[in-house]
Amino acid sequence: MKFDVDHFNPYFTLNHTISSYDVDVDKKLAIPQIFSLFQEIAYRHVVQTPWSWKALQNQGIAWVLSKIRIHIKQLPVWNDRITIKTWPIGADGLNAYRRFSLTDSEGRELLNADSSWLIIDVQNRRLQRINKEEFMAIVPEEAVAIKRIAKIPAPSALKIYDTRYVRLNDMDMNSHVNNASYVEWALDTIPMDFYKLHTITSVDVDFLREVEYGEKVDIIGDDEIKCVRCSGQDKDMCRVRFQWAPLKSTDTTQKAG
């Protein structure tokens, strides 16, 4: 079936109720789960287009997340009803850009994100060029374009926080380490006492190189930026930057209650 761009809605929404498996120890939407929800809505949005998972698989290629910047005003909690919205915002030779917005049941924005995506050959893992003209045809005219997302700098220190192996549950359906797994690894370096007294305000991730199943990886960095490296190597495979703010006294009182 030929794709009819004139009848394609560039905006796509997904309603979701925060379940027990979505939340962290504070009953707030867990950061890695945000990545899973973004993946799902992006997948559903293009399911009837030439850029769907199935259409790309038939060509031996697949989407991978390259960079993402998430700005968090407030995290929803268990049983909250939310709406996730996404739309494409541009493309260049290799990158396709997509924006996300998450709102509560009253339409208030809780968080938003800008992201860039690449297409790779699933066999040799080489990057494939995106047909910019075709992709830009699905970008809404009123969309606010973004410049290429800046890289996360190298951390100021290289303390080793954790060492682990890439296991079965870290992989996705493209035999690729799930982008949420990298975030989980970095988040696991945060001490519980710190986590309980702070709220996260932003998450930035740069996916630089692929980690493969069975590899041993180190999570290194400083208090702000964590890097994933294959043990014994000096190249970053992924960089994750968390920014935090101290909880207000009312928030800590509610937690204690």
Side-chain angles (χ1 to χ4, degrees):
M1 181 182 297
K2 186 177 180 180
F3 174 56
D4 185 357
V5 67
D6 293 330
H7 290 85
F8 176 76
N9 187 345
Y11 297 97
F12 188 80
T13 60
L14 178 68
N15 296 318
H16 181 73
T17 299
I18 304 298
S19 301
S20 59
Y21 53 76
D22 290 322
V23 301
D24 62 9
V25 294
D26 292 324
K27 302 182 184 65
K28 293 181 179 180
L29 177 61
I31 302 304
Q33 193 64 11
I34 295 174
F35 285 75
S36 297
L37 290 170
F38 283 174
Q39 288 181 92
E40 181 64 19
I41 190 173
Y43 159 76
R44 293 194 187 190
H45 188 198
V46 298
V47 72
Q48 299 296 329
T49 76
W51 301 282
S52 71
W53 180 86
K54 185 175 182 180
L56 295 190
Q57 282 289 303
N58 290 338
Q59 301 173 61
I61 55 180
W63 286 111
V64 294
L65 181 60
S66 173
K67 292 181 174 63
I68 188 166
R69 304 286 179 267
I70 304 176
H71 302 281
I72 301 170
K73 301 174 184 177
Q74 182 181 338
L75 289 171
V77 300
W78 184 29
N79 287 325
D80 278 357
R81 293 183 178 182
I82 61 170
T83 298
I84 311 163
K85 184 177 181 179
T86 188
W87 61 100
I89 53 176
D92 54 34
L94 290 175
N95 297 276
Y97 299 101
R98 176 173 286 277
R99 185 163 289 150
F100 300 91
S101 177
L102 190 153
T103 55
D104 65 13
S105 59
E106 297 182 5
R108 294 173 296 197
E109 186 175 70
L110 302 179
L111 61 88
N112 60 70
D114 285 336
S115 60
S116 64
W117 300 73
L118 301 168
I119 292 178
I120 63 168
D121 185 296
V122 296
Q123 293 297 322
N124 59 33
R125 317 310 275 185
R126 292 178 181 171
L127 297 179
Q128 306 295 302
R129 294 190 68 82
I130 295 170
N131 187 316
K132 181 180 177 180
E133 183 178 351
E134 287 186 358
F135 191 86
M136 290 300 295
I138 68 170
V139 175
E141 293 182 3
E142 66 277 14
V144 179
I146 65 169
K147 296 180 179 179
R148 185 169 295 185
I149 300 173
K151 295 180 180 179
I152 297 175
S156 60
L158 294 178
K159 174 183 175 181
I160 296 179
Y161 288 85
D162 195 10
T163 298
R164 63 205 306 160
Y165 288 89
V166 181
R167 299 302 192 191
L168 179 64
N169 284 332
D170 296 317
M171 311 300 288
D172 64 18
M173 61 186 185
N174 293 317
S175 297
H176 173 85
V177 175
N178 195 308
N179 58 61
S181 296
Y182 293 94
V183 179
E184 286 181 358
W185 300 344
L187 199 61
D188 280 345
T189 68
I190 306 300
M192 179 69 79
D193 290 345
F194 179 90
Y195 192 80
K196 286 285 189 177
L197 295 175
H198 292 79
T199 183
I200 194 162
T201 59
S202 68
V203 184
D204 300 351
V205 188
D206 284 0
F207 300 95
L208 304 171
R209 300 172 183 84
E210 285 193 275
V211 178
E212 297 182 358
Y213 172 75
E215 287 197 277
K216 182 180 179 182
V217 296
D218 298 323
I219 317 302
I220 66 173
D222 56 27
D223 290 341
E224 181 182 8
I225 298 172
K226 302 298 189 295
C227 303
V228 177
R229 288 187 179 181
C230 294
S231 295
Q233 299 184 21
D234 60 359
K235 292 182 178 180
D236 295 338
M237 315 302 280
C238 175
R239 291 177 182 171
V240 183
R241 176 170 56 198
F242 298 120
Q243 293 187 323
W244 308 83
L247 282 174
K248 299 177 182 179
S249 57
T250 53
D251 295 329
T252 55
T253 301
Q254 289 176 357
K255 280 191 175 187

